Amino acid sequence: MMDAKWQKGIDRLIHKREVIAAAGGLDRIAKQHSSGKLTARERMDALFDDDSFCEFNDMITSRATDFGMDKKKRPGDGVVTGYGYIHGRLAFASSQDFTVEGGSLGEAQAMKICHAMDKALEMKAPFISINDSGGARIEEGIDGLSGYADIFYRNTAASGVIPQISVILGPCAGGACYSPAITDYIFMTEKNSQMYITGPAVVKSVTGEVISSSDLGGASVHSSTSGVAHFVYPDDLSCLNGVRRLLGYLPQNNEDKPMHVEGIPRDNSLLLGDIVPVDSRKPYDVRKVIHTFVDEGSFLEIQEDFARNLVIGFARLDGDTIGIVANQSQFMAGALEINASDKGARFIRFCDCFNIPILTLVDVPAFLPGSQQEHGGIIRHGAKLLFAYSEATVPKVGLIMRKAYGGAYIAMNSKGTGADLVYAWPIAEIAVMGAAGAVSIIGRKEIERAEDPSAKKEELLDEYNRKFMNPYIAAEHGYVDEVILPEETRTRIAGAFRMLKTKERSLPKKKHGNIPL
Amino acid sequence: METEKILAMAVAAVAEEKGVQPKHVRVLSFKEIQKSSLEKFIEDNHISYHKYQLEDS
């Protein structure tokens, strides 16, 4: 028979646990469910492997008493934090509870989140932040607000050390946006996520502009226009499954390697001749090229609706993760511009932080010309891509598929910027610029002086095409390591990454480089 | 299913695993595990859901 004091203590704890599990109450949980959202703890269950989540600080409460806070406080203070396992590997997470004070961030909530972040950094394991909050808890004044600074500080310290993922499953407004912005990847859901620094009401009062919250900061806007969001899913469950999928490509930390996942190797390189038209002005979907040689179903595209002229994503080759950067000729003929430069550079830097080899598929006519690009700072943004490739010390393999012209060729993992191996197909054209542009400059006087200018132009075009629009001069001069047949594509790429597995390259000692932001 | 039947099946499984007679297996405690809130939500809303799971090979 158990001692009565034991029983009393156990009963008290069970009651406390029931209060904690009830969060903001049944009505608020029902409201959360009716809007298609899960509760904070349900999200943790969906995020982590079954029955693996362990909670921290579930009884913590706010110390605030002003503005009736002494009567409103709830155990947990509007956030669930803890650790668990994803694909059997340790991870830490926080999940804001909208049913408790709208998930608002106060001193105790920030302390809980920071505690989980500190543990993630100490254990060198990924951190996932699930956001569903009205913002800073006004009743707590500066103590709540400064909690954001504590989080940003830790996000920055952990950047490049552990993967950090933000999942926006409700509102994320004001200063709260900057934690996700510092992290590596942002997930959103189609209907329930919003991110903005100032909401529609403030926008209206300050600028007079009338705009809905979804038009201002919904998933569609952030995945296609601003480039803030990396992944969008229909609902909480699919979104959290997406986080699990992404983590399957990543290592635990910057000293680890990504997990090896045995898949189904595929080599449909023979189809490449049908996928890629010889005429360099004809578009094709570069994702079809990727699918011919990566492990079956392994390509995970990132930011697929933003800067669509550049495709980025993870895939597996013989079970190992690689990062892929590829020009997409279906949009802007694959030209590089401001957004594509930013998108590519950030992805390359992520891969370099976390020991993920990079494959670059090149079919690029130029940096996009025009005053909009020049005035928007294409010089500054394009430089990021050059900087990122030059700085990256992970294995870097390139394949020049068709066009590789001018500065854009240099920016797409050229040998000079540190590429380990560069391959080219026989139809590749590696030159300062396309034939028409080149002839109009270098042959202008000759054409003007000719008796038959159009015949002369054709003659010069033929000469330029014959001499320069091929991969052989680049191969003769060492800028291309090998010109390969399409059917050799997978064999060469996989072989190159296998050979480069033990690569060691270091940069001069420095605090950090100064990338042109 | 009745609790007695579930218990009998559990006892039989443990006995087989340990290679002993079921009568030598003594049940000290028995706790019914409730469905989680997430499981209930998925069931109530007839959601088709499979957790994405990988294994490090």
Side-chain angles (χ1 to χ4, degrees), chain A residues 152-173:
Chain A
F152 303 157
Y153 181 80
R154 283 164 176 79
N155 283 137
T156 307
S159 181
V161 182
I162 52 173
Q164 296 182 89
I165 295 168
S166 297
V167 191
I168 316 299
L169 298 180
C172 180

Side-chain angles (χ1 to χ4, degrees), chain A residues 25-278:
Chain A
L26 290 176
D27 289 349
R28 285 181 183 156
I29 289 173
K31 201 173 169 192
Q32 185 90 345
H33 282 165
S34 69
S35 60
K37 289 158 66 174
L38 298 174
T39 66
R41 286 188 180 81
E42 288 164 354
R43 286 167 175 166
M44 289 299 208
D45 285 344
L47 173 66
F48 288 105
D49 293 350
D50 290 345
D51 304 318
S52 77
F53 176 63
C54 296
E55 193 168 337
F56 291 149
N57 307 123
D58 59 349
M59 292 180 193
I60 215 163
T61 50
S62 170
R63 296 188 300 171
T65 54
D66 293 334
F67 299 103
M69 272 303 293
D70 49 338
K71 295 180 188 70
K72 289 195 279 189
K73 59 180 68 174
R74 303 282 303 172
D77 204 39
V79 71
V80 176
T81 62
Y83 71 91
Y85 294 83
I86 296 174
H87 311 307
R89 302 188 309 164
L90 182 64
F92 292 78
S94 64
S95 175
Q96 287 176 315
D97 188 345
F98 198 77
T99 70
V100 176
E101 292 301 304
S104 59
L105 188 120
E107 182 195 24
Q109 181 178 130
M111 198 174 88
K112 266 181 86 165
I113 294 171
C114 288
H115 174 59
M117 293 175 82
D118 289 343
K119 281 285 154 284
L121 194 52
E122 284 171 13
M123 302 314 298
K124 295 270 187 89
F127 184 77
I128 300 106
S129 166
I130 300 174
N131 293 249
D132 188 0
S133 164
R137 192 174 297 154
I138 298 163
E139 294 94 325
E140 295 199 25
I142 190 70
D143 287 331
L145 197 61
S146 71
Y148 283 124
D150 297 332
I151 294 168
F152 303 157
Y153 181 80
R154 283 164 176 79
N155 283 137
T156 307
S159 181
V161 182
I162 52 173
Q164 296 182 89
I165 295 168
S166 297
V167 191
I168 316 299
L169 298 180
C172 180
C177 290
Y178 286 120
S179 169
I182 297 171
T183 62
D184 299 305
Y185 295 104
I186 296 178
F187 285 70
M188 295 180 82
T189 54
E190 284 168 6
K191 288 179 189 159
N192 290 320
S193 306
Q194 298 106 41
M195 292 180 80
Y196 31 68
I197 301 301
T198 45
V202 178
V203 168
K204 188 183 175 191
S205 71
V206 175
T207 69
E209 183 188 4
V210 177
I211 189 165
S212 70
S213 59
S214 63
D215 286 344
L216 185 63
S220 172
V221 167
H222 284 313
S223 61
S224 61
T225 308
S226 72
V228 166
H230 299 85
F231 298 96
V232 176
Y233 287 89
D235 51 38
D236 286 17
L237 277 172
S238 57
C239 192
L240 293 163
N241 244 351
V243 175
R244 291 177 60 84
R245 185 174 181 210
L246 173 65
L247 281 168
Y249 292 91
L250 311 185
Q252 289 289 88
N253 57 63
N254 62 333
E255 292 170 340
D256 190 26
K257 296 232 164 175
M259 64 197 290
H260 179 87
V261 178
E262 211 61 64
I264 302 167
R266 185 170 39 182
D267 189 354
N268 288 332
S269 300
L270 272 172
L271 302 177
L272 286 166
D274 297 325
I275 295 170
V276 182
V278 176

